[in-house]
Amino acid sequence: MLKGINPLLNADVLQALRAMGHGDDLIIADTNFPSDSVARQTVLGRLLRIDASAAEVVKAVLSLYPLDTFVDDSAARMEIVGKPEEIPPVQREVQKEIDAAEGKPWPMVPVERYAFYERSKQAYCVIQTGERRFYGCFAFRKGVVPPDAE
């Protein structure tokens, strides 16, 4: 345990978050996502896990992880097949955590399912959660921490 760090963030996840650079993508995926096979194609090359809900994992990660302010798609969600505008409860819960972490509305952009898979393969790493609800899959592009930040 460390003071000031969410206990869900295990050593492997902390190492990956620290190693990532500006513009690298992080995938946070539900239990149905092909996390292991996709993770093998990422920069890290292996799967990370946090057995908690998607919203809990996003809250923990965003307590340390800056979102990229230079792009419009620094927070993305997998679209529902055939219903791209529908926002299921799991995505609404994650949206609340993003907004809270950023201190303002920070809407996620929708990404078609197969385009999301392709983006995931190019990511730095994948964290598989214990989220069992469908469409609990998200991509977050890492931003920068300014020199005057603590």
Side-chain angles (χ1 to χ4, degrees):
M1 297 294 295
L2 297 170
K3 291 167 56 176
I5 295 179
N6 188 305
L8 288 178
L9 299 173
N10 60 58
D12 290 336
V13 169
L14 287 170
Q15 185 279 328
L17 295 177
R18 177 63 178 93
M20 293 174 71
H22 181 216
D24 281 337
D25 262 348
L26 166 68
I27 304 301
I28 297 179
D30 63 31
T31 57
N32 287 297
F33 188 76
S35 295
D36 187 64
S37 62
V38 169
R40 291 171 193 256
Q41 299 174 66
T42 64
V43 173
L44 187 64
R46 63 185 174 85
L47 180 62
L48 302 172
R49 289 195 54 90
I50 300 177
D51 291 318
S53 73
E56 290 172 311
V57 173
V58 168
K59 180 179 183 177
V61 167
L62 293 184
S63 72
L64 301 175
Y65 186 91
L67 291 177
D68 195 341
T69 58
F70 295 107
V71 296
D72 294 331
D73 65 347
S74 62
R77 63 178 178 83
M78 182 189 287
E79 285 181 356
I80 295 177
V81 174
K83 301 176 184 177
E85 301 305 316
E86 185 176 325
I87 311 293
V90 65
Q91 293 183 0
R92 287 195 299 271
E93 292 168 17
V94 165
Q95 184 64 67
K96 286 180 185 176
E97 295 301 340
I98 295 167
D99 295 348
E102 294 303 315
K104 62 183 178 183
W106 195 288
M108 286 185 282
V109 299
V111 178
E112 185 274 332
R113 179 180 167 214
Y114 289 106
F116 190 92
Y117 289 158
E118 290 307 310
R119 180 172 174 172
S120 298
K121 293 173 188 175
Q122 303 301 312
Y124 187 88
C125 63
V126 175
I127 299 173
Q128 185 176 38
T129 69
E131 183 62 65
R132 295 183 58 197
R133 293 174 290 178
F134 298 150
Y135 296 99
C137 299
F138 308 92
F140 298 102
R141 188 152 297 141
K142 190 173 184 183
V144 297
V145 177
D148 58 345
E150 292 182 27

